[in-house]
Each structure stands twice: as structure tokens, then as C-alpha cells.
Amino acid sequence: MLRGKSIFAAVTVAALLVTATGGTALSSSEATSRTASAAAATAGCGKTPTLRSGTHSIQSGGRTRSFILRIPDNYNNANPYRLIFGFHWLGGTANDVDSGGSSGFTWSYYGLRQLANNTAIFVAPQGLNNGWANSGGEDLTFVDDMLRLIEADLCVDTTQRFAGGFSYGGGMSYALACARATVFRAVAVYAGAQLSGCSGGTQPIAYIGLHGLRDNVLNISQGRSLRDRFVRNNGCTAQNPPEPAQGSLSHVVTAYSGCRSGYPVVWAAFDGGHTPGPVDGSTADDGARTWTKAVVWNFFNQFQGGTDDTTPPTAPAGLAASGTTAGGTNLSWTASSDDVGVAGYDVLRAPGASGGSFAQVGTSATTSFSDTGLTPSTTYRYQVRARDAAGNLSPVSDTVQVTTTSGGTTGVCTATPTVQTQWGSGYVVQPLTITNTSTSTITGWTVTFTLPAGHTLTGSWNATVTTSGQTVTAKSMSFNGTLAPGASTTSLGFQAGRPDGNTALPSGYTCTSP
């Protein structure tokens, strides 16, 4: 992993009490206006660049400062690129961020460089004394000076500047969100706190925070406080977003609703400690396997140049309900498309088979949602709509109607796996046969099983599947949940990966039905 042991010992009381004043900001002509409707190109566009990938020095605030630059392998001076800054932690270095540490390229720039796939320019600045005290705003000025140098030589889209960092680097990213909200499009704060000051701090900026419940260096309450500033600045609806239970070794990602157009706020809480690279189902700190890189990349990637787009996403299609019980139902749908980027979905519910008004009952960052707390033997109707990064709402989906069960006796079913094929690093179970062994028809089933340590689910079909650690839960869909007595369905299957040479297979299959 990329971190050194020093981050745990080096966050001292003095560091926690650091405050900073604003430095010299970019001039008004250099600050990015949020009303740009197309990529705002820099002076470096069309020029033969003199900067190369590697370490560079620059004079800033009377000091010699350094940073590492990574330019796309196929750099085209006519194409305005995203510009992404990655800030190291206390005691870390620019090289740690650039190299990815022991995880290598898969964790370079917190994993974003691999996911960008040569579509972005990356910068890893080096902090003074391996930190980001930002005394007198000197680190803000350093960022301003790097921007001037880079954008005078390279082709950058000034509506697509991003910053992120872990621990002290998260504090520096937060300082940029406060003081340079019109310069940077979005920031990602991994396990951060207000360590580098917050000059200004009144303007909106797209913000994602990630923090561990059991962080013993910077308590999660500090991360929540940073988040809540931009919940207010961005006009989002205040809430206490759900967080995973301690001991679950899982994570929960919440997209706030009601935010100003183009200024989303996302909160990702996980059951873990002070790390930017948690792994579900494990206490490992692994940049190659962590879920955080995909979550942050998707958050940044939703912004596609300019924020005044008025084109709404397409309506979600194929809305279906499955696994309906006395108290809940599972919804799934096909993803919407959008020219800016779909930021999430609103789930709407109305009472009865007709009449009544649809009201929002939840949000989802994926194409599924579980609605719970319903009344037995009651009919409900559901619709879903998409939201894009600019705040535009799609038309609603078609309506799906469900009627919860009476809450009577639990049906009986079995789940029997058949290994279709396997190889050194993976296998396919198809079919996973579900059989109704009761004397009455069942209208839904839920299967659980356990993956061996080190195994990961890489695909599934014909079920709504969730994972928590190594436990997999598969719920029936609308077309395969109803089974007469003695009847079976062979539609369910899944694929998993495993360490090469590990021959273990999943175990503990159970099946229940309302």
C-alpha cells in the first residue's frame, strides 16, 4: 500500500490546530466561471509542450518547490485534458502518490491514473516538511503557481480541474474547496480534517468525502464536519446519511438530494480505520482491490466540461420489482443515459393501485433499490427518475405495482449449486437451482452463501445480488420468484474470481421465502 507508518504517529495536536489564511488567488481572468458551456482551453493548447512527465521545480513564495507531472502517453495538444492533483499524507511524498507505493500503477494517484486511461494530466505536489500546513496560504499559492506553469504549456480544460488527497492531503484538498471553489470543479477528501485551513469556505463546489468509522487518527466526526459545510454551501437537503454497522467490513455511499445544479455532495462511510484504500470484507489496506478508486473516479467523471447543461437524462427503463415480502420489495431498472453524466436516481412511491400522489422515498447511486418498512397485504406503485450532474431530472419511468404478502408462515426452498466450469483464477456456478420444497406456492426467494476468503464476485445473472464482506445475498426477480410446490428455477448463476491455484468453492447455501 502507498502509505507509510508515519501517518499514524505524525498527526499531532499541533497539526490538528493548524489554521491558514488565504494566499494569492488566481486572477479573475484565470479563475474558471461555472457558466462555461464548453471546454475552456488554456494557452498551452496548440503549442508544442516543453514540459515532460517527471519531477519539476518551481519558484513559489520565495521557495523552491517541486511536483511530479504525468502527461498522457498519447498527448494531443489540440485536446483539452482534465487536470487532477493528488496530495500526499503527513510524512508521505509526491513519489508515493505518483508511484502507487507497494500497490504500483493500480494505486497511482489513488487509483485514478489507471482508470483515466490517458484521458487526464496528473500532478503530485510535494509538501513542505512532507505536510500541508499552508502557513499564510503558501500552499494555496503553490497550487496557483503550478496551474499557471502547467496551463501555459499544456492543453487543459479549465472547467475540469480536480483535487484529492488522504489525511493531511485531504485537509489540503478541503482548503482548496474553501479557497478555490471557482477554480476546481470537484474535490475528494479521504479521511480528512481541517488541517490546512479554510479561507473563504462560502462558495459551492462538488464534494465527495470518504471516511472510516473506526478512524483512530482523524475521527469520522471531523470528516462529517467538512462534508456538512458543502452540504450547506451546495444547498443540499440536510440528512444523516446511512453508515455501515461496525464489524460489517462494508461501505455505504450516499448521494445527497436537493443540491444546487452541478454541485453534488457524496458521502462514503466504511467500517474501517485511517486509510484511503479499504477493502470490503477485509481489514486489508490495498490499492489494487479497494472500492474507493472507482467511486471517486465515477464522481469526477460525471463532469464533462461546463455545468450549465440543460439536457435531462433519458427516463430509466425496465423498472421491475422482485422478492416482495410482507415488509419490503426490491426494485431494479436499466440505467439512464446523459450527456453530462447520471449522478443518481430518485425512487418515488404512491399508495394503492390507483390514485394518490407519488412521493420520493429514497435515492440510489446504482440501478437498484430496496424499499423496506412496508405494510403487509398492501398495494404500492413505484416510479424512478434520474438526476444528472447539472441537476436536471429525467422523465419518470413506467410504473410498477407490487402487493406485499400477508406476513404469514415462511415458505421452504433449497438452493443447489452446479459448478459449470472452473479455472485457476475463477469459476462459474450455473445453474444455482432454487426448488420450492413447501406445499404452497412461493412468490419470492432469497438465497445466501459464503465466498471463501480472497474470492470476489465478478458477475451474476437473473437475481438482485448484494455482498457484505464474503456473504452474498441473491433475491429473486419478477420473472423467477413465483414457484409452485415442487417447482424449480435454473435461471440463477454467478461468476467469481479467486487467487490463482486456490481450489475452494462457495459454501453455506441457504434459501428462504416469505
Side-chain angles (χ1 to χ4, degrees):
M1 191 60 192
L2 139 165
R3 300 177 294 126
K5 293 181 180 178
S6 59
I7 64 169
F8 295 99
V11 178
T12 62
V13 173
L16 293 173
L17 297 178
V18 168
T19 58
T21 59
T24 303
L26 295 175
S27 69
S28 59
S29 63
E30 292 166 312
T32 302
S33 169
R34 285 283 187 261
T35 61
S37 60
T42 57
C45 293
K47 293 174 58 175
T48 300
T50 60
L51 292 174
R52 297 288 184 269
S53 292
T55 302
H56 298 268
S57 296
I58 186 174
Q59 292 298 308
S60 179
R63 296 173 178 262
T64 300
R65 304 291 299 266
S66 66
F67 63 93
I68 298 175
L69 182 67
R70 290 295 166 192
I71 303 171
D73 296 334
N74 55 355
Y75 175 76
N76 178 352
N77 65 10
N79 175 56
Y81 287 86
R82 290 188 183 95
L83 183 63
I84 302 177
F85 283 75
F87 292 91
H88 62 75
W89 52 95
L90 183 61
T93 66
N95 184 65
D96 291 329
V97 173
D98 178 73
S99 69
S102 60
S103 295
F105 181 70
T106 61
W107 190 234
S108 178
Y109 294 87
Y110 301 101
L112 302 186
R113 187 174 162 211
Q114 179 189 36
L115 296 176
N117 192 25
N118 285 306
T119 63
I121 298 168
F122 287 89
V123 185
Q126 177 60 48
L128 297 171
N129 300 313
N130 298 100
W132 301 103
N134 193 29
S135 301
E138 63 184 344
D139 290 323
L140 291 172
T141 300
F142 178 33
V143 172
D144 294 341
D145 291 338
M146 284 186 287
L147 284 173
R148 289 191 183 94
L149 176 67
I150 293 166
E151 295 180 357
D153 195 70
L154 299 174
C155 193
V156 174
D157 179 354
T158 60
T159 70
Q160 297 280 286
R161 302 182 183 117
F162 303 92
F166 165 62
S167 195
Y168 219 154
M172 185 61 202
S173 300
Y174 176 73
L176 287 171
C178 291
R180 300 293 185 266
T182 59
V183 175
F184 284 83
R185 184 65 188 85
V187 299
V189 176
Y190 303 77
Q194 188 168 322
L195 305 174
S196 307
C198 180
S199 176
T202 60
Q203 295 177 295
I205 185 173
Y207 185 94
I208 180 171
L210 308 95
H211 218 115
L213 298 178
R214 295 180 282 114
D215 191 325
N216 62 353
V217 178
L218 298 173
N219 189 274
I220 191 172
S221 62
Q222 295 174 279
R224 295 181 188 129
S225 177
L226 305 190
R227 171 203 69 197
D228 289 345
R229 174 183 292 274
F230 292 100
V231 169
R232 295 189 297 271
N233 289 359
N234 296 8
C236 307
T237 302
Q239 63 168 291
N240 291 316
E243 296 177 348
Q246 290 203 20
S248 66
L249 295 177
S250 63
H251 72 279
V252 177
V253 179
T254 301
Y256 276 74
S257 60
C259 302
R260 285 181 53 183
S261 175
Y263 299 98
V265 172
V266 168
W267 177 244
F270 59 91
D271 179 37
H274 191 64
T275 172
V279 178
D280 277 351
S282 171
T283 58
D285 178 20
D286 189 345
R289 295 188 291 142
T290 183
W291 51 267
T292 63
K293 55 188 178 183
V295 168
V296 173
W297 174 251
N298 289 338
F299 184 76
F300 285 174
N301 196 43
Q302 68 183 298
F303 306 110
Q304 299 293 330
T307 62
D308 66 341
D309 188 279
T310 59
T311 303
T314 60
L319 178 61
S322 64
T324 302
T325 65
T329 190
N330 301 308
L331 302 173
S332 61
W333 57 90
T334 301
S336 300
S337 60
D338 185 74
D339 57 351
V340 173
V342 174
Y345 297 89
D346 300 330
V347 179
L348 313 175
R349 187 181 71 204
S354 62
S357 300
F358 281 91
Q360 183 172 324
V361 293
T363 62
S364 176
T366 65
T367 56
S368 63
F369 180 80
S370 294
D371 194 20
T372 58
L374 304 181
T375 302
S377 302
T378 303
T379 298
Y380 299 91
R381 304 188 319 279
Y382 290 91
Q383 296 174 340
V384 178
R385 66 190 178 199
R387 290 176 283 104
D388 69 11
N392 302 305
L393 293 175
S394 77
V396 294
S397 67
D398 291 338
T399 301
V400 66
Q401 178 176 308
V402 303
T403 300
T404 54
T405 61
S406 62
T409 59
T410 299
V412 180
C413 55
T414 60
T416 304
T418 299
V419 179
Q420 182 184 79
T421 184
Q422 58 180 313
W423 57 99
S425 59
Y427 50 89
V428 172
V429 172
Q430 170 63 37
L432 177 51
T433 303
I434 312 302
T435 302
N436 177 6
T437 58
S438 70
T439 57
S440 59
T441 298
I442 61 175
T443 57
W445 43 260
T446 300
V447 172
T448 61
F449 58 91
T450 302
L451 294 172
H455 292 215
T456 57
L457 196 70
T458 58
S460 62
W461 43 95
N462 297 329
T464 301
V465 175
T466 58
T467 60
S468 177
Q470 297 303 107
T471 301
V472 178
T473 301
K475 295 180 180 293
S476 58
M477 304 187 78
S478 58
F479 62 86
N480 62 4
T482 300
L483 296 174
S488 300
T489 177
T490 58
S491 59
L492 171 61
F494 65 90
Q495 180 174 321
R498 62 188 176 189
D500 197 13
N502 183 325
T503 59
L505 291 168
S507 61
Y509 290 90
T510 64
C511 181
T512 59
S513 175

